Amino acid sequence: AQKITQTQPGMFVQEKEAVTLDCTYDTSDPSYGLFWYKQPSSGEMIFLIYQGSYDQQNATEGRYSLNFQKARKSANLVISASQLGDSAMYFCVLAGTGNQFYFGTGTSLTVIP
Amino acid sequence: EPEVTQTPSHQVTQMGQEVILRCVPISNHLYFYWYRQILGQKVEFLVSFYNNEISEKSEIFDDQFSVERPDGSNFTLKIRSTKLEDSAMYFCASKGAPYGYTFGSGTRLTVV
């Protein structure tokens, strides 16, 4: 069974500070991928970053980095130098060898000026 | 970079009416999906489609729902007789090389 857990329903961060959004997962698939998506209030789903289970290095995309700890089954998203436009809902998503994506419940991030 | 395109972005319909949500997946992708997100809730899997047939569906995807790939480019979700609780954001996604899994920007369906 696949499971993805985001334990922080809401987070606040000061502008220009870094913030970590937590994500843990559980899967029996030997190969899987972990994604982070941003959903602003307008509703669209914006891809941020991807980590493959066999990737040797943690993924980075601009201000986004993924702190992947395979043994702990965690895939935390780190946003550096937060901007007001980062205020949104953030979803951690697991893709196994099956067809579906499994979404976490999301973390609502608010960036404070 | 290629995108998954969904139309319309917003749709309002009366309860009991049929709606068709349209999606244009990334060309040469072979797997297609619909997901649903009721306002303020989790994103839920509805259905996956491969080789012109449904490969997997959730218990949400009952007889009121159907999917179709009527031509080489479009992938549609039809809701036959909409209910108030069908109000949600509907996301289409496609999967394939080289971009992996890609979501569309969604269609916000409001049933009144």
Side-chain angles (χ1 to χ4, degrees):
Chain A
Q2 320 276 18
K3 188 178 177 183
I4 197 102
T5 303
Q6 294 179 254
T7 56
Q8 305 156 314
M11 289 281 286
F12 292 86
V13 64
Q14 204 77 40
E15 195 178 4
K16 299 180 186 174
E17 298 291 310
V19 63
T20 298
L21 306 184
D22 294 341
C23 173
T24 58
Y25 62 92
D26 194 15
T27 178
S28 54
D29 288 341
S31 175
Y32 52 90
L34 291 148
F35 299 75
W36 278 91
Y37 282 86
K38 173 184 177 181
Q39 187 179 42
S41 56
S42 51
E44 71 267 31
M45 205 65 78
I46 301 168
F47 167 77
L48 295 178
I49 197 165
Y50 167 78
Q51 179 84 44
S53 59
Y54 290 112
D55 292 345
Q56 295 296 315
Q57 293 187 326
N58 286 346
T60 60
E61 289 282 350
R63 294 187 297 113
Y64 304 106
S65 60
L66 203 152
N67 184 2
F68 181 48
Q69 297 189 42
K70 194 171 181 177
R72 294 187 179 182
K73 293 190 174 180
S74 74
N76 298 339
L77 176 71
V78 180
I79 305 174
S80 63
S82 298
Q83 301 171 356
L84 296 178
D86 294 334
S87 293
M89 188 71 108
Y90 289 81
F91 290 98
C92 183
V93 183
L94 171 67
T97 51
N99 265 321
Q100 293 185 38
F101 257 23
Y102 295 87
F103 280 75
T105 50
T107 295
S108 177
L109 177 67
T110 302
V111 180
I112 304 165
Chain B
E1 191 171 308
E3 295 180 334
V4 174
T5 306
Q6 288 187 244
T7 55
S9 56
H10 293 85
Q11 177 142 10
V12 180
T13 189
Q14 284 203 317
M15 192 169 57
Q17 294 296 305
E18 174 184 286
V19 293
I20 298 176
L21 309 183
R22 302 181 192 280
C23 170
V24 179
I26 293 174
S27 63
N28 85 349
H29 277 193
L30 299 178
Y31 296 86
F32 313 111
Y33 308 83
W34 284 100
Y35 288 80
R36 179 181 84 174
Q37 185 186 29
I38 294 172
L39 184 64
Q41 296 187 24
K42 197 173 173 175
V43 178
E44 302 169 294
F45 169 76
L46 290 178
V47 65
S48 60
F49 192 85
Y50 171 73
N51 200 24
N52 283 323
E53 60 182 26
I54 291 173
S55 53
E56 197 172 350
K57 62 181 181 180
S58 71
E59 49 192 41
I60 302 169
F61 194 87
D62 61 21
D63 292 343
Q64 293 295 316
F65 292 91
S66 62
V67 289
E68 195 176 36
R69 188 157 162 80
D71 53 43
S73 59
N74 290 286
F75 178 52
T76 61
L77 173 70
K78 183 193 289 186
I79 309 174
R80 287 193 184 83
S81 178
T82 50
K83 304 187 279 283
L84 294 177
E85 54 264 38
D86 293 327
S87 294
M89 192 76 154
Y90 288 82
F91 292 100
C92 173
S94 68
K95 183 172 83 170
Y99 304 102
Y101 215 116
T102 306
F103 279 89
S105 54
T107 293
R108 190 181 298 278
L109 176 66
T110 303
V111 182
V112 297

